[in-house]
Amino acid sequence: MKQRIIFNLLLFVVASISSMAYAETIQPKVFNIKTYGAIGDGVAMETEAVQKTIDACHDAGGGVVWVPAGDFQIGTIILRSNVTLSLDYGASLLGSTKLADYPTDKLSRAREGGPHCLIYAENAKNITIEGLGVIDGRGTHENFPRKGGTNSGVRPRLMRLESCEDLTFSGVTYKRPAFWGLHLIDCKNIHFDAVTLRFRNNNFNNDGLDLDGCENVLIENCDLSAGDDAICLKSSLNPCRNIVVRGCRADSNTAAVKFGSSSRGGFIDISITNCHFHDCPMGAIKLQSVDGGRLENITISRIVMKDVGNPIFLRLGNRNSSFGVRSERGQRADDASENVFTGTLKNVRISDLVAEVTVEDREKAMEAVYRSIKMETAPYVTDKEKGRAGPIMITGIPGHSIENVVLENVKISYPGHGTEEDAKRVVAEDEDRYPEQFFFGVLPAWGAYIRHAKNVEFKNVELTLRGDDARQKIVLDDVQDFVNH
């Protein structure tokens, strides 16, 4: 009996020592922003208190910056390495509505757009933003109009992270950016999990996730409602590479998924699967290489789309913008004739996709009040509306073909409305124009329009009409080796 008691005491001591060691070595240090002067009444400016907390956390070797329940109004804050910004349920970081609270003296020049942003980091590692709270930019068109106003037309992004590594975004709801939402440039090792975006009908250019030149990215279980493109991959200099999107819902006034228009670096090895895209009147999936980059090895599968415009748009063009990046000789790349070249778009596979293409509801279009859209009173579907609810479009340019595209197990329903005049339309090349499908106008096909392409295969692709249409189902122009079976 005595031996058993001694043995149990030893077990207790060992367990206690192990628990103490775990607490000392595993549990992160927690830094409460209220300890550093934050109030949380939604009126006081808390930028200094929040920044002091972040700096103290970083200087101590890292830990958790705790944002308890409350409304904390801030201007620009700078995240640092080994910091977890953790927001409790009921906690809100509220962006200031005054431009003076967004200084740029400690921020690098942005490659696209202005430098102003609410949350910033550069050359930092191991940053996490987590919790059940809200980060609200309050960037409405009233507070930050695109032109004029008290803020002189300047519109801060919600977030800009440059050249950072090991980034985690989990659980937080992001709302109302004045410009782009979460903008990551040349970052690596990124995980978005259960993130919610609520940007729609707020202001111009409210992209959701803008990933420019990022590598090793997983986006999963997210619910994204954007004013502009919901998931937008950009490559103003470096390629987007090794990216997986899965289990996400997305809606947008423009596209659910877009590669480009910034496409100089390219997009390589990207997978999108098991997603629901809805209410995207300007198109759902847009894959675009127009600035000389390689767009290759893309797999899209298990997609359900409802109430979308142009369902699939693949565009190889020759706009050749450099986004201010200079060549080795110091010239702007788009000013140096030796640097002008056309990229590639090939090896794309889209499978197990179901879509319903619709003409945008006119009353719903007016919900974006910042755009001052007037109700269209025409009793018929206009050319503009038809152009946005058009067919699959796959188009390169003369001498540069899109190659190796497979659509398999695809079922798309279209609204119709095409006339005999529409069937005779000649489609402009527009080699160097900004790439949007509806810029090409009403196409002469209702199901698929394919031009300047090689090795395109439709395998078990079902394209159907819900109304009358005088156009052909599929139109091919300068296409080699098209297979439809």
Side-chain angles (χ1 to χ4, degrees), residues 88-121:
D88 282 358
Y89 180 83
S92 294
L93 292 178
L94 304 176
S96 169
T97 59
K98 297 179 181 179
L99 183 61
D101 294 318
Y102 297 86
T104 61
D105 55 305
K106 295 181 181 180
L107 280 56
S108 67
R109 177 184 175 186
R111 200 173 293 161
E112 290 188 83
H116 302 81
C117 59
L118 183 64
I119 298 174
Y120 180 79

Side-chain angles (χ1 to χ4, degrees), residues 343-363:
T344 60
L345 199 166
K346 61 184 180 180
N347 303 336
V348 175
R349 183 179 187 88
I350 300 174
S351 63
D352 302 300
L353 180 148
V354 177
E356 182 181 81
V357 176
T358 57
V359 175
E360 183 180 18
D361 181 87
R362 290 171 176 174
E363 290 188 3

Side-chain angles (χ1 to χ4, degrees), residues 256 278 314 327 484:
H278 62 96
L314 275 60
S327 70
N484 185 8

Side-chain angles (χ1 to χ4, degrees), residues 65-82:
V65 171
W66 175 23
V67 183
D71 295 327
F72 302 92
Q73 183 180 196
I74 61 171
T76 300
I77 60 172
I78 301 176
L79 297 179
R80 304 179 68 186
S81 294
N82 304 315

Side-chain angles (χ1 to χ4, degrees), residues 292-314:
R294 296 166 51 206
L295 196 160
E296 300 177 10
N297 305 337
I298 312 300
T299 302
I300 300 174
S301 65
R302 299 174 59 196
I303 306 296
V304 175
M305 304 197 296
K306 174 74 172 177
D307 290 328
V308 300
N310 308 316
I312 300 169
F313 178 43
L314 275 60

